[in-house]
Amino acid sequence: MTEVLDRSVAPEPFAPRSQPLDERAARRTLLAQIEHLERDLAQLFATAWPRQGFEWSVDAPAGRPRLLDLGELEQVRDALAHRIQETRRDLRARHRVEDANRALVEDMLRHPGRHRWVRVSHADIGEPGCRHWHVVPRLGLVGILANWWRVKISSGCPLPRAL
Amino acid sequence: MPDRVVELGSVAPELAEELPGLGLAWMRVAARAGRSPAPLRQRMNELASRITGARVVQARQDSVPWAYRVLWRRLGLDPDHDRTPVEALMVERLRHGGLASHGMPGDAAVTATLETGVPVAVFDADRVGDGIGLRPARAGESLGADVEIPLRVGEVIYADEQRPLARLTGELASTCAVSGDTTAMLLCALSAAGVPDMALEEALWIAADLLEAAAGPSDR
């Protein structure tokens, strides 16, 4: 009889949740944010190509694939956001330089004499390929003495080979 | 048409709750290890010629490779350091100027992975137990028997009911790897959120077609 009473007073607990309810909601939010940030980073990567010199790696808390705790998920989210912000800033700065270089090329073509020996490559304007614009004198020494300048547009990449 | 069935592997509840869409599809195929036939090597060459630098840059925006990048991030990896299988193969192709043939079943898995973006792992079907799936590694577990590779507790792995089979990043236990004695193989396609079932099935079918074509009609 005592046992029966004891059971009725202390019912079996509900099945335990693996995580508290608000933590699960927070985790879902963080996982969704990571997904969106990864998309932004991928778009940025494609936008930045073929420019070199950007850092793309993002600090990762795990050396091996595993479920992350809440703090680690926040760490991944923050690191991704930081990387995107940094890369966008660098890319904007690069765009400003490239715009200036494009204007320079236009001016070189109009007034080569003002830009003696200046050389601008496709990389300087953020384009793929090996072309460059180079202001050189016509007829060599004669051109230097007579102030005859022209823009030589060169092309031709090395033959493709393994990296 | 060969009689093939795509089965779904199990996923540990804690993984399924945290990462909906994570999964494993597998298929058993009668096949043997060996040299890849000339048509497959030709196909790999053609595949390699399609993988240019611009294609690799674009790949991370494509829905399937991108889904694995997201999975890697959510599991605490940096996909620019520990590359997803498809990106690792693409970068390897750029570095070496082509896709080197390593024989069967490796070439079949590489072709299926590059064609679909879905990672395909191949095991010796007779050395894998029931209940293949994904789960976190437990304390004291390791990969292999002869050369033991320790696993970290909680690391997400391919496993059957008895033991770990492989790392998610592709490292297989020697105890279930394909060998010269293998007569049947288990093809496993890893699924992530956003990867359509059709892509998983296509990956398995491509690999199965190639393996069965290499094995010849007598082994089917």
Side-chain angles (χ1 to χ4, degrees):
Chain A
M1 185 62 186
T2 315
E3 282 177 17
V4 172
L5 283 174
D6 283 347
R7 274 185 199 166
S8 65
V9 170
E12 282 192 6
F14 291 109
R17 282 200 200 99
S18 53
Q19 290 153 6
L21 199 56
D22 11 324
E23 185 178 327
R24 273 191 292 169
R27 294 179 72 83
R28 270 201 300 274
T29 306
L30 283 166
L31 290 168
Q33 287 172 341
I34 289 170
E35 182 182 330
H36 290 140
L37 289 168
E38 180 57 42
R39 189 183 295 279
D40 287 352
L41 192 65
Q43 282 172 354
L44 211 50
F45 183 84
T47 307
W49 191 81
R51 298 171 187 87
Q52 303 287 318
F54 291 96
E55 179 60 53
W56 296 106
S57 62
V58 175
D59 289 341
R64 292 283 162 204
R66 62 173 168 79
L67 292 183
L68 305 180
D69 62 35
L70 200 60
E72 289 171 329
L73 284 173
E74 281 177 345
Q75 190 187 326
V76 172
R77 190 264 322 261
D78 294 348
L80 268 170
H82 179 68
R83 173 64 63 222
I84 289 168
Q85 193 181 21
E86 223 173 36
T87 309
R88 277 191 181 138
R89 193 192 58 216
D90 292 351
L91 196 57
R92 273 198 299 271
R94 198 75 73 87
H95 280 158
R96 280 196 290 275
V97 172
E98 287 164 4
D99 287 345
N101 284 336
R102 276 194 205 94
L104 176 62
V105 169
E106 283 174 20
D107 205 48
M108 280 162 58
L109 292 167
R110 276 199 296 268
H111 311 289
R114 291 182 195 165
H115 305 281
R116 296 173 187 186
W117 305 111
V118 172
R119 183 183 168 120
V120 179
S121 68
H122 253 191
D124 296 329
I125 60 166
E127 296 284 338
C130 311
R131 176 184 292 182
H132 61 260
W133 294 263
H134 194 185
V135 181
V136 292
R138 285 181 194 275
L139 305 172
L141 195 59
V142 177
I144 297 174
L145 295 172
N147 202 20
W148 293 341
W149 296 86
R150 64 172 176 167
V151 177
K152 193 172 172 186
I153 301 172
S154 117
S155 183
C157 290
L159 290 172
R161 60 185 174 82
L163 292 174
Chain B
M1 178 72 69
D3 186 22
R4 294 177 188 155
V5 183
V6 176
E7 309 262 6
L8 294 180
S10 60
V11 179
E14 61 269 41
L15 293 178
E17 183 185 342
E18 175 92 359
L19 303 166
L22 179 68
L24 196 64
W26 59 268
M27 178 192 279
R28 190 185 165 99
V29 181
R32 290 178 183 279
R35 188 176 153 80
S36 297
L40 174 56
R41 280 181 276 135
Q42 175 63 27
R43 182 170 173 175
M44 288 174 71
N45 286 338
E46 287 165 9
L47 195 54
S49 68
R50 298 207 308 261
I51 302 169
T52 59
R55 174 78 196 91
V56 176
V57 170
Q58 176 60 38
R60 64 175 67 193
Q61 283 190 295
D62 293 346
S63 61
V64 174
W66 173 78
Y68 291 101
R69 285 186 69 86
V70 173
L71 175 65
W72 255 228
R73 286 270 185 234
R74 287 171 165 179
L75 290 171
L77 299 177
D78 178 10
D80 287 309
H81 183 261
D82 299 296
R83 295 192 185 278
T84 59
V86 67
E87 284 188 15
L89 289 170
M90 286 179 163
V91 170
E92 193 183 314
R93 177 264 173 264
L94 291 184
R95 287 209 172 114
H96 299 293
L99 294 168
S101 172
H102 297 290
M104 291 297 214
D107 288 355
V110 165
T111 306
T113 301
L114 284 172
E115 294 269 13
T116 61
V118 174
V120 176
V122 186
F123 303 99
D124 183 332
D126 297 324
R127 296 161 81 185
V128 173
D130 293 334
I132 188 167
L134 299 168
R135 66 165 171 81
R138 299 172 191 131
E141 281 188 326
S142 60
L143 275 182
D146 304 334
V147 182
E148 288 204 346
I149 305 163
L151 295 167
R152 287 193 198 160
V153 177
E155 178 178 346
V156 181
I157 52 167
Y158 296 91
D160 61 17
E161 281 173 359
Q162 276 80 44
R163 60 183 192 276
L165 302 176
R167 284 194 156 128
L168 215 57
T169 43
E171 204 171 351
L172 263 64
S174 57
T175 47
C176 61
V178 171
S179 68
D181 302 328
T182 302
T183 55
M185 297 183 196
L186 205 67
L187 309 176
C188 292
L190 180 69
S191 170
V195 177
D197 291 347
M198 192 191 287
L200 299 179
E201 289 194 16
E202 191 185 354
L204 292 175
W205 274 77
I206 288 173
D209 279 346
L210 294 172
L211 284 165
E212 288 188 344
S218 59
D219 283 359
R220 286 182 196 169

